[in-house]
Amino acid sequence: MKKKKVIVAITGASGSVYAKLLLDNLQQLSEQVERVGVVMSDNAKEVWRFELGNEDYNNYPFDFYPKMDFNAPFASGSAKFDTMMIIPCSMGTLGRIAHGISNDLISRAADVVLKERRKLIVVVRDTPFSLIHINNMKLVTEAGGIICPANPSFYSLPKSIEELAQTVVSRVIDLAGFEQESYRWNED
């Protein structure tokens, strides 16, 4: 299996547990990962500290890039990153991506992934959706992105918030094309 180069973008939407679990999973899948580039918005760092009570995002062995670093390798299609996962994705970020507004590294990287016809997975975490949100999701989908709402499943009988959140992260990992052990409906 070819190792993947992936981008993880973390915005200021609520749901830092999803980002934490994705980074944890990518560490565990290191034999399938060539490189992980991470970009966090300032609000993402604040929300992480508030929701998780720590700054553990500093402890991951990945390449972190400032939100305005347009010299990051994945700001260009020539770097050939395979997949971008935005988790959680704020509706503001979704709107900028849907309308081609590349005003920071997250929206620029998403624009690059879409124009190169690579995989963009957008984990929106808001409810309810306005018609503007729905239309932005439609535009990103039509451009080739995958909208994966942070809607957990319950059929695995999760016993904790992390186990519940992992049901979403497992879907993202599957969508990104990684091989992993996770709960599968009606499989032994």
Side-chain angles (χ1 to χ4, degrees):
M1 172 184 285
K2 177 184 172 276
K3 288 188 169 192
K4 297 180 183 298
K5 290 168 55 176
V6 298
I7 308 154
V8 175
I10 306 168
T11 75
S14 179
S16 297
V17 66
Y18 295 115
K20 176 201 175 297
L21 289 171
L22 179 60
L23 295 176
D24 291 346
N25 279 237
L26 290 172
Q27 268 191 294
Q28 293 167 5
L29 297 169
S30 61
E31 70 282 351
Q32 297 179 54
V33 176
E34 178 181 335
R35 185 170 184 189
V36 177
V38 181
V39 59
M40 293 180 77
S41 70
D42 294 336
N43 285 343
K45 292 175 185 177
E46 283 186 41
V47 172
W48 183 301
R49 286 189 294 266
F50 179 79
E51 291 182 348
L52 301 179
N54 61 53
E55 294 183 3
D56 286 354
Y57 52 83
N58 290 312
N59 300 334
Y60 290 94
F62 304 131
D63 300 321
F64 280 75
Y65 297 89
K67 69 176 184 166
M68 297 307 290
D69 184 358
F70 287 88
N71 288 314
F74 47 85
S76 169
S78 64
K80 296 187 98 172
F81 276 72
D82 304 286
T83 302
M84 179 176 187
M85 298 161 276
I86 308 175
I87 184 168
C89 183
S90 69
M91 289 302 171
T93 300
L94 175 71
R96 287 187 291 282
I97 294 166
H99 295 280
I101 301 169
S102 299
N103 65 341
D104 64 9
L105 183 55
I106 294 173
S107 54
R108 171 59 188 164
D111 188 46
V112 165
V113 167
L114 290 173
K115 80 178 181 68
E116 297 290 333
R117 306 298 192 265
R118 297 187 185 133
K119 195 173 283 190
L120 174 66
I121 302 163
V122 182
V123 183
V124 293
R125 215 269 0 115
D126 209 339
T127 190
F129 298 138
S130 74
L131 185 56
I132 293 168
H133 300 154
I134 292 167
N135 284 331
N136 287 337
M137 286 186 260
K138 177 181 179 277
L139 287 171
V140 169
T141 301
E142 289 173 340
I146 299 170
I147 304 298
C148 180
N151 296 337
S153 62
F154 296 88
Y155 46 73
S156 63
L157 305 176
K159 306 280 187 269
S160 68
I161 290 174
E162 281 205 357
E163 284 183 15
L164 187 63
Q166 182 62 45
T167 66
V168 171
V169 173
S170 290
R171 290 291 292 149
V172 172
I173 293 288
D174 283 349
L175 289 168
F178 290 102
E179 295 297 323
Q180 67 167 341
E181 292 292 323
S182 66
Y183 181 85
R184 306 289 177 192
W185 176 251
N186 260 348
E187 289 186 11
D188 296 321

